C-alpha cells in the first residue's frame, strides 16, 4: 500500500473521531450527525413520535436497534437519535457483565451497548491522558489527585472494564455489526481503529484494510436497506470523499438526495449540496433516477 494511502486513512480516522464525538457527546437540543448544511437537526427525546411505527417496532423486537435510539422519518426510514452518555453512571464492568450473557446469545443491541461502554471508557482515558497503571494506583495516588473530580470518578468507574481480559479480547463493534446491530453497522466505517488497530500500522495491513473497506460498504448498504437514513448519509460521504470506496460524484449525489428525501429535511437543502454544483446536467439526471431506486429499496412503505 502506498504511503499516501496510509496517510489518507490516518487523516480519515481523525475526522471520524470528530464525527462520532458529534454524534454521541453533544448535549444540544438540536444536534446533527454531521457538521453539514444538508443534515437535518435531530429532535430531542421529548418530541412526539407516531404511536405506531411498524418497521422500527419490528427492528426493536429483533434486537437490531434500541427502542430509545430510533427516530421515525419518512416511510420506513428512521435515524439514530442517541442523546446523553453512552453508558449509565456507575461501575462500567458491572454494566458490561449485565449485558454479557445476552450478547453471547446473539443479542446485537447488547453487544453494541458493550462496545459503546468500552468506547466511552477508552475516550475518557485518552482525553484525560492517564494510563491503566495510574488508574489502578487508586484514587489517592498523585496522578489521580491531579485529575479533575468528574474525570477521576469516570476513570475509576472504567478501570475494571478497561483492564478486563474477558471484555478486551472481544471486538465488540465487529461482533455487534455481525449480529445485526444497525447502530454498529453505521459506526463500523467511522471507527477503523477499533477494527484495524493503530493507524500508524495500516500500511502493513493492506488485506485487512481492504476487508474493512468492503465490510464498511456492505454494512452501510445493509443498514440502508433496513431504512437507516444515517447509512444513506454515510454512503454519500464515502462516495464523495473516495477513501473507503472510489470517488463517485453521481453515486454520492444519489445517496444524498435519497437521504434528504427520506428524512424531514427541507427540499431546499438539495440546493446547498456543494459537490453537486460540479455535476453536469446528465450526471444530475442520472443521480436523481438512481436516488429514486434507493428510496424504494430503503424507505418506501
Amino acid at each position: 500500500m502506498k504511503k499516501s494511502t496510509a496517510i489518507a486513512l490516518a487523516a480519515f480516522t481523525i475526522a471520524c473521531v470528530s464525527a462520532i464525538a458529534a454524534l454521541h457527546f453533544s448535549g444540544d437540543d438540536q444536534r446533527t450527525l454531521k457538521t453539514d448544511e444538508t443534515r437535518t437537526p435531530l429532535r430531542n427525546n421529548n418530541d412526539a413520535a407516531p404511536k405506531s411505527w411498524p418497521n422500527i417496532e419490528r427492528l426493536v423486537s429483533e434486537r437490531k436497534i434500541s427502542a430509545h435510539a430510533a427516530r421515525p422519518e419518512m416511510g420506513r426510514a428512521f435515524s439514530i437519535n442517541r442523546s446523553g452518555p453512552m453508558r449509565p453512571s456507575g461501575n462500567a464492568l458491572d454494566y458490561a457483565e449485565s449485558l454479557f450473557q445476552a450478547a453471547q446469545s446473539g443479542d446485537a443491541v447488547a453487544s453494541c451497548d458493550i462496545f459503546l461502554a468500552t468506547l466511552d471508557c477508552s475516550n475518557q482515558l485518552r482525553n484525560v491522558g492517564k494510563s491503566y497503571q495510574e488508574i489502578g494506583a487508586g484514587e489517592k495516588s498523585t496522578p489521580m489527585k491531579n485529575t479533575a473530580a468528574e474525570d477521576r470518578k469516570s476513570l475509576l468507574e472504567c478501570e475494571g472494564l478497561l483492564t478486563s481480559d474477558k471484555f478486551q479480547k472481544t471486538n465488540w463493534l465487529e461482533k455487534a455489526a455481525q449480529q445485526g446491530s444497525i447502530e454498529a453497522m453505521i459506526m463500523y466505517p467511522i471507527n477503523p481503529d477499533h477494527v484495524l488497530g493503530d493507524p500508524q500500522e495500516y500500511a502493513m495491513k493492506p488485506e485487512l484494510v481492504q476487508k474493512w473497506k468492503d465490510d464498511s460498504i456492505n454494512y452501510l448498504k445493509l443498514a440502508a436497506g433496513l431504512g437507516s437514513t444515517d447509512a444513506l448519509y454515510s454512503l454519500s460521504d464515502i462516495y464523495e470523499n473516495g477513501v473507503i470506496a472510489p470517488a463517485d460524484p453521481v453515486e454520492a449525489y444519489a445517496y444524498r438526495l435519497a437521504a434528504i428525501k427520506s428524512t424531514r429535511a427541507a427540499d431546499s437543502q438539495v440546493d446547498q449540496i456543494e459537490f453537486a454544483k460540479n455535476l453536469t446536467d446528465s450526471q444530475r439526471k442520472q443521480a436523481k433516477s438512481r436516488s429514486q431506486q434507493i428510496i424504494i429499496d430503503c424507505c418506501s412503505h
Side-chain angles (χ1 to χ4, degrees):
M1 177 180 288
K2 294 182 180 179
K3 183 178 180 180
S4 59
T5 303
I7 294 173
L9 279 168
F12 178 71
T13 303
I14 295 172
C16 289
V17 170
S18 299
I20 201 64
L23 172 60
H24 288 287
F25 294 116
S26 174
D28 297 336
D29 287 337
Q30 295 291 316
R31 301 183 299 117
T32 55
L33 290 179
K34 182 189 176 186
T35 307
D36 186 296
E37 67 276 9
T38 63
R39 295 299 176 92
T40 180
L42 295 178
R43 301 178 302 183
N44 61 40
N45 287 339
N46 295 323
D47 289 343
K51 293 182 179 179
S52 177
W53 209 264
N55 188 43
I56 291 178
E57 291 176 353
R58 176 178 62 82
L59 294 172
V60 168
S61 69
E62 293 174 355
R63 300 297 288 165
K64 292 182 177 179
I65 195 169
S66 296
H68 64 84
R71 169 195 169 179
E73 296 290 353
M74 308 300 291
R76 293 191 302 113
F78 62 88
S79 58
I80 299 296
N81 181 15
R82 180 180 286 275
S83 61
M86 289 189 286
R87 63 175 180 84
S89 60
N91 189 301
L93 180 59
D94 288 346
Y95 172 64
E97 287 283 9
S98 73
L99 299 168
F100 184 77
Q101 194 56 51
Q104 292 298 89
S105 299
D107 188 326
V109 170
S111 293
C112 186
D113 284 343
I114 293 176
F115 166 69
L116 291 174
T118 302
L119 178 64
D120 179 65
C121 285
S122 297
N123 287 341
Q124 186 71 28
L125 186 70
R126 180 170 56 248
N127 293 339
V128 175
K130 300 298 180 185
S131 67
Y132 292 144
Q133 291 78 9
E134 289 172 325
I135 298 174
E139 188 172 4
K140 296 182 179 180
S141 66
T142 300
M144 293 301 286
K145 283 183 178 179
N146 295 333
T147 303
E150 188 63 29
D151 290 334
R152 183 164 62 247
K153 176 177 177 291
S154 295
L155 289 172
L156 291 172
E157 289 179 351
C158 288
E159 176 190 357
L161 179 58
L162 291 175
T163 57
S164 168
D165 290 339
K166 175 180 178 179
F167 286 96
Q168 295 305 314
K169 70 180 181 182
T170 299
N171 186 328
W172 292 102
L173 175 61
E174 195 156 37
K175 185 182 184 71
Q178 290 173 348
Q179 290 175 329
S181 165
I182 294 173
E183 192 168 2
M185 292 179 189
I186 295 168
M187 296 178 72
Y188 189 89
I190 55 177
N191 284 277
D193 53 322
H194 284 269
V195 180
L196 301 171
D198 186 349
Q200 300 299 322
E201 299 178 0
Y202 287 178
M204 296 182 288
K205 305 174 180 179
E207 296 85 3
L208 288 179
V209 169
Q210 187 58 53
K211 184 178 184 304
W212 165 72
K213 290 181 177 182
D214 294 341
D215 288 345
S216 294
I217 295 293
N218 291 336
Y219 282 140
L220 288 177
K221 288 186 174 180
L222 179 56
L226 293 170
S228 169
T229 59
D230 298 314
L232 295 178
Y233 276 118
S234 293
L235 285 164
S236 175
D237 292 342
I238 283 173
Y239 288 117
E240 177 190 357
N241 298 329
V243 176
I244 294 180
D248 187 333
V250 172
E251 198 76 349
Y253 189 42
Y255 273 106
R256 189 66 59 90
L257 287 175
I260 292 173
K261 296 290 185 181
S262 300
T263 63
R264 303 175 192 279
D267 287 343
S268 61
Q269 292 186 1
V270 172
D271 298 328
Q272 300 173 17
I273 304 175
E274 287 296 325
F275 70 84
K277 296 177 181 179
N278 297 322
L279 297 179
T280 65
D281 290 341
S282 176
Q283 287 176 317
R284 285 174 176 272
K285 183 177 180 180
Q286 182 182 350
K288 288 179 180 179
S289 176
R290 170 80 174 112
S291 71
Q292 291 172 359
Q293 185 59 53
I294 293 172
I295 292 173
I296 291 173
D297 292 341
C298 82
C299 308
S300 298
H301 280 303

